[in-house]
């Protein structure tokens, strides 16, 4: 059998995989990057972050056009050309993926389209996944980074042989705009996809089994979004689960079961299941190595992203929560630097998260919900956007900016923001949390006016009772 050799092989061409391959090449390593898809980019670029945000941009513009009616500006009902939307989405994906391929070529990273699996801790087998065969059957390596990502999961009770049942991958292909769409799951994927389809004209119903949307996120951040979604969606059912699905008479019958045991059947044209993702750790031949996995299928790694097999590292979704592209990218750089012998660890204080709905929700560091669960004493400082000139000028005063503070040291522990552009604002907060800034540093930092970013310093001023645009004296100890 034909064989080839390399210093480092990366399995998976997503945000973690290509970041690892590119940095390793920059450090002078001979690198092979293996990806099953024809295009580079992984789930984030091809079937997740980028296409969903492109479609959410369409939804946002449609919503803003409607919002202008409050200013006396009215537009005719939009004509939705679904084919043109698909084409523009694919153009964005193609542009970014093609750019990655060019960058790989310039860095002399060898790209192989194949399916890879371990024969031993230093050997992979390569199987063709297209008409283009890999250059060899086997690949010998000194080091390997597994970056195989994750995939949507559909519970067994809802698995059905029907093209009317979608996961997030299918939904992002925009096969059609169903008249009635059921979204199972009130997490960020379900709400983002529901927002897209509602803007395009679907009557969207969301079912969430817990007592609130976005479980685990602070309730004061979720509240403005929930209120807005109640006007955008046909219905939101909390403390409810879909216990059964049946394909009948050209539609899907969904059995709703509430927390008190009551059942009802509703009919939908399509059903999107968005209840979570599963790591792609199966069928990699890991049993032929010493790599260990958790019960959930995550590959266990240390602070340098090294597995229990010294030659093998793992990063991104396959290496554990949170399943976020920017977390994978940072892990990639840690793993490569560790392979290069540099003293480095993956121990971030701050990994920001964003829900790209309208309004957006973003948070970083410790949340109030987590502090309560840990029985940890914290203080909060909240600046409502109703006191923001910029928010008022936009007609979007439902937002707020909140700091989580250590009451003893006044160090910043976390931040939460809800409102338009929250995802773009959270970066400053991430830096503050990562550097363990004193809240006074934020209060005294001069922000431009009028902007939404100045709500970060205004919230800090609320803590000291000195906020210019909000009279809220600091509470005195009793």
């Amino acid at each position: 059998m034909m064989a080839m050799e390399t210093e480092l092989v990366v399995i998976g061409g997503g945000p973690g995989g290509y970041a690892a391959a590119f940095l390793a090449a920059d450090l002078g390593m001979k690198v092979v990057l293996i990806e099953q898809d024809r295009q580079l980019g992984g789930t984030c670029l091809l079937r997740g972050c980028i296409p969903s945000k492109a479609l959410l941009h369409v939804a946002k513009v449609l919503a803003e056009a409607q919002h202008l009616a409050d200013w006396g500006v009215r537009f005719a009902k939009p004509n939705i050309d679904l084919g043109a939307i698909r084409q523009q989405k694919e153009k964005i994906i193609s542009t970014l993926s093609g750019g990655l391929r060019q960058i790989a070529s310039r860095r002399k990273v060898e790209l192989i389209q194949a399916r890879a699996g371990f024969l031993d801790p230093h050997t992979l087998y390569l199987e063709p996944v297209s008409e283009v065969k890999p250059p060899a059957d086997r690949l010998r390596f000194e080091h390997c980074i597994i970056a195989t990502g994750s995939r949507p999961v559909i519970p067994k009770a809802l698995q059905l042989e029907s093209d009317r049942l979608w996961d997030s991958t299918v939904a992002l292909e925009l096969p059609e705009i169903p008249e009635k769409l059921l979204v199972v799951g009130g997490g960020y994927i379900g709400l983002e996809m529901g927002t897209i389809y509602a803007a395009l004209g679907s009557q969207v119903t969301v079912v969430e089994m817990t007592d609130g949307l976005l479980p685990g996120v602070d309730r004061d951040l979720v509240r403005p979004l929930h209120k807005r979604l109640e006007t955008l969606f046909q219905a939101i059912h909390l403390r409810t689960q879909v216990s059964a699905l049946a394909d009948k008479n050209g539609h899907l019958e969904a059995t709703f079961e509430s927390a008190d045991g009551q059942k009802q059947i509703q009919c939908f044209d399509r059903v999107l299941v968005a209840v979570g993702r599963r790591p792609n750790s199966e069928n990699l031949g890991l049993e032929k190595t010493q790599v260990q996995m958790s019960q959930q299928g995550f590959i266990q790694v240390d602070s340098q992203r090294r597995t229990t097999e010294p030659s093998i590292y793992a990063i991104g979704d396959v290496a554990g929560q949170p399943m976020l592209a920017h977390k994978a990218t940072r892990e990639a750089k840690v793993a490569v630097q560790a392979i290069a012998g540099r003293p480095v660890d993956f121990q971030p204080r701050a990994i920001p998260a964003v829900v790209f709905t309208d309004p957006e929700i973003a948070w970083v560091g410790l949340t109030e919900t987590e502090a309560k669960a840990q029985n940890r004493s914290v203080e909060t400082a909240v600046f409502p956007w109703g006191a923001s000139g910029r928010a008022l000028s936009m007609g979007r005063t439902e937002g707020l900016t909140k700091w989580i503070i250590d009451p003893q040291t006044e160090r910043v522990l976390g931040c939460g923001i809800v409102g338009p552009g929250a995802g773009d604002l959270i970066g400053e907060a991430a830096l503050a949390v990562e550097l363990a800034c004193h809240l006074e540093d934020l209060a005294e930092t001069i922000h431009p006016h009028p902007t939404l970013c100045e709500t970060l310093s205004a919230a800090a001023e609320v803590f000291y009772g000195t906020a210019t645009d909000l009279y809220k004296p600091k509470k005195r100890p009793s």
Side-chain angles (χ1 to χ4, degrees):
M1 298 179 66
M2 293 181 61
M4 56 188 298
E5 295 185 356
T6 190
E7 186 175 355
L8 172 67
V9 58
V10 181
I11 307 176
Y18 65 72
F22 293 173
L23 177 59
D26 291 345
L27 296 180
M29 299 183 198
K30 181 181 179 182
V31 184
V32 172
L33 176 57
I34 300 174
E35 170 56 55
Q36 293 190 43
D37 282 315
R38 178 177 55 85
Q39 295 176 297
L40 280 183
T43 295
C44 180
L45 173 52
L46 306 180
R47 298 174 292 276
C49 317
I50 301 302
S52 65
K53 303 317 166 277
L55 297 177
L56 282 163
H57 170 68
V58 175
K60 179 182 178 182
V61 173
L62 289 171
E64 288 179 343
Q66 292 178 345
H67 178 67
L68 281 177
D70 294 341
W71 294 82
V73 180
R74 294 174 177 83
F75 298 93
K77 183 178 180 180
N79 178 25
I80 305 296
D81 185 340
L82 196 58
I85 294 175
R86 286 195 209 101
Q87 186 176 11
Q88 183 66 12
K89 172 180 69 75
E90 292 303 321
K91 180 181 178 181
I92 294 169
I93 293 172
S94 178
T95 299
L96 290 172
S97 183
L100 290 174
R101 186 170 288 274
Q102 290 180 11
I103 293 171
S105 176
R106 291 178 179 178
R107 282 183 156 110
K108 295 182 171 50
V109 172
E110 183 171 359
L111 302 179
I112 296 178
Q113 185 182 4
R115 181 180 297 107
F118 290 93
L119 293 172
D120 61 51
H122 288 278
T123 310
L124 291 173
Y125 66 82
L126 304 177
E127 290 183 353
V129 291
S130 68
E131 66 279 359
V132 180
K133 292 185 178 180
D137 301 305
R138 296 188 181 189
L139 176 64
R140 292 282 297 172
F141 60 85
E142 293 181 36
H143 303 282
C144 175
I145 296 177
I146 302 173
T148 48
S150 63
R151 64 188 185 279
V153 59
I154 296 181
K156 288 185 178 180
L158 303 183
Q159 292 178 4
L160 193 66
E161 290 294 330
S162 173
D163 59 4
R164 299 180 185 278
L165 180 64
W166 294 351
D167 60 18
S168 59
T169 300
V170 175
L172 282 171
E173 294 173 357
L174 290 180
E176 63 176 291
I177 304 174
E179 181 180 351
K180 293 184 178 181
L181 173 67
L182 171 63
V183 177
V184 183
Y188 75 96
I189 295 176
L191 298 186
E192 288 182 1
M193 295 308 305
T195 296
I196 291 168
Y197 276 92
L200 294 176
S202 294
Q203 298 175 27
V204 176
T205 296
V206 173
V207 171
E208 167 57 43
M209 66 183 300
T210 69
D211 59 2
L213 299 177
L214 296 172
V217 181
D218 287 351
R219 293 300 91 190
D220 57 349
L221 300 180
V222 176
R223 202 170 295 120
L225 173 62
H226 191 143
K227 184 177 180 180
R228 187 172 178 86
L229 292 181
E230 285 180 325
T231 65
L232 182 64
F233 294 166
Q234 186 76 10
I236 299 174
H237 298 278
L238 301 177
R239 302 185 67 201
T240 303
Q241 59 181 331
V242 178
S243 57
L245 284 176
D247 196 340
K248 292 184 179 180
N249 302 320
H251 56 251
L252 289 180
E253 290 186 354
T255 302
F256 291 5
E257 187 170 346
S258 59
D260 58 8
Q262 294 187 11
K263 294 184 179 182
Q264 61 171 306
I265 295 177
Q266 293 192 28
C267 297
F268 299 90
D269 299 297
R270 296 292 184 270
V271 174
L272 166 61
V273 179
V275 296
R277 299 182 65 85
R278 175 179 294 137
N280 292 325
S281 56
E282 308 100 324
N283 304 317
L284 289 175
L286 292 175
E287 67 279 0
K288 297 179 182 178
T289 71
Q290 297 182 55
V291 172
Q292 296 181 3
M293 292 187 289
S294 69
Q295 291 184 343
Q296 295 77 29
F298 293 112
I299 296 176
Q300 296 183 0
V301 295
D302 64 14
S303 62
Q304 294 186 323
R305 311 294 90 180
R306 184 185 291 105
T307 70
T308 43
E309 181 66 68
S311 61
I312 300 174
Y313 294 67
I315 60 174
D317 290 4
V318 77
Q321 300 283 1
M323 292 183 173
L324 298 170
H326 41 281
K327 172 251 193 185
T329 299
R330 179 59 193 153
E331 286 181 309
K333 295 178 180 180
V334 168
V336 170
Q337 291 179 74
I339 291 171
R342 298 181 178 181
V344 63
D345 285 304
F346 183 76
Q347 294 181 341
R349 287 192 181 99
I351 301 179
V354 183
V355 183
F356 291 91
T357 45
D358 184 19
E360 293 179 1
I361 299 178
W363 65 95
V364 66
L366 185 70
T367 67
E368 275 195 277
T369 301
E370 291 170 340
K372 184 176 180 180
Q374 298 170 14
N375 197 28
R376 182 171 181 176
S377 176
V378 296
E379 290 192 41
T380 63
V382 178
F383 185 83
W385 286 16
S388 162
R390 179 61 172 161
L392 278 163
S393 69
M394 297 166 59
R396 298 300 301 271
T397 58
E398 74 272 27
L400 64 86
T401 299
K402 174 177 67 174
W403 288 108
I404 312 295
I405 308 116
D406 185 316
Q408 301 301 319
T409 65
E410 296 184 5
R411 295 289 181 184
V412 172
L413 302 176
C415 182
I417 307 173
V418 57
D424 293 315
L425 299 177
I426 203 65
E428 179 180 339
L431 180 63
V433 173
E434 188 66 41
L435 297 180
C437 285
H438 194 281
L439 191 64
E440 191 174 8
D441 297 331
L442 279 304
E444 294 183 353
T445 298
I446 299 174
H447 290 72
H449 175 79
T451 62
L452 295 176
C453 72
E454 65 184 333
T455 64
L456 290 158
S457 58
E461 290 178 335
V462 166
F463 180 80
Y464 296 108
T466 60
T468 301
D469 299 312
L470 189 70
Y471 181 65
K472 193 171 183 180
K474 183 175 176 59
K475 293 181 180 178
R476 302 298 180 185
S478 56

